[in-house]
Amino acid sequence: MTVLPLVKYPDPRLSQPCDAVTTFDDELSRFAHDLLDTMRAAPGVGITAAHVGVLQRLVVLELSAEIGPRFYVNPELLDASAQTMRHMEGSVSMPGATEEVERPRRIRFRYQDLKGETHEEEAQDFYAICMQHEIDQLNGIFWLKRLSRLKRDRVIRKWEKGKS
């Protein structure tokens, strides 16, 4: 088990777009499993390579023990529903800070697995919210940017106060 050090907000790497993964090998698989260990230790239900300072398009989600961990390489949104839902979000890079974010309720996305095989999937509700949150991170959009300026400032002030 390898728990990697997390990048903490406001590290500028959290606002940088990630590069596509082009090599699918044992090193990628090891790194993906290290991300899983890091996410579980945080704890969280999702993590990207950017959360540990590696600017590559890799996501790990573990939404339930029954389903187990899933790995998504180079994920991209293909379509999103007009219907939205609100859900509390946060980040392993900003522990303890949460706020309600509104996102499309259903999405369609494409990704590669750890072997490089391409897949398309539809996700809805919590799964869709999590996937959008992590794809945003890969695109350099930290979750706070989805909040109004007023809410964002309030969350940051509260989080900074809680750190000291």
Side-chain angles (χ1 to χ4, degrees), residues 104-143:
R105 176 174 226 112
R106 196 174 56 257
I107 62 167
R108 182 154 197 73
F109 67 100
R110 177 183 304 128
Y111 67 96
Q112 291 170 281
D113 59 29
L114 293 175
K115 294 179 180 169
E117 296 292 321
T118 301
H119 304 271
E120 280 190 22
E121 239 179 81
E122 198 166 290
Q124 62 183 21
D125 300 328
F126 185 57
Y127 181 25
I129 296 296
C130 292
M131 186 54 66
Q132 290 172 83
H133 175 101
E134 302 305 349
I135 290 173
D136 266 0
Q137 183 61 65
L138 297 178
N139 292 334
I141 302 170
F142 194 66
W143 73 279

Side-chain angles (χ1 to χ4, degrees), residues 30-45:
R30 274 191 301 278
F31 177 56
H33 285 86
D34 289 347
L35 273 180
L36 173 62
D37 293 339
T38 304
M39 179 190 74
R40 286 175 172 167
V45 297

Side-chain angles (χ1 to χ4, degrees), residues 54-101:
V54 177
L55 298 179
Q56 289 191 318
R57 297 185 69 81
L58 175 61
V59 170
V60 179
L61 289 180
E62 187 170 37
L63 304 183
S64 73
E66 297 80 41
I67 296 171
R70 300 216 30 217
F71 303 94
Y72 305 89
V73 183
N74 301 323
E76 59 180 320
L77 286 177
L78 301 175
D79 190 36
S81 68
Q83 184 184 22
T84 62
M85 67 181 282
R86 300 182 75 72
H87 198 276
M88 292 300 281
E89 295 189 24
S91 174
V92 295
S93 290
M94 197 177 191
T98 59
E99 184 54 73
E100 199 172 60
V101 177

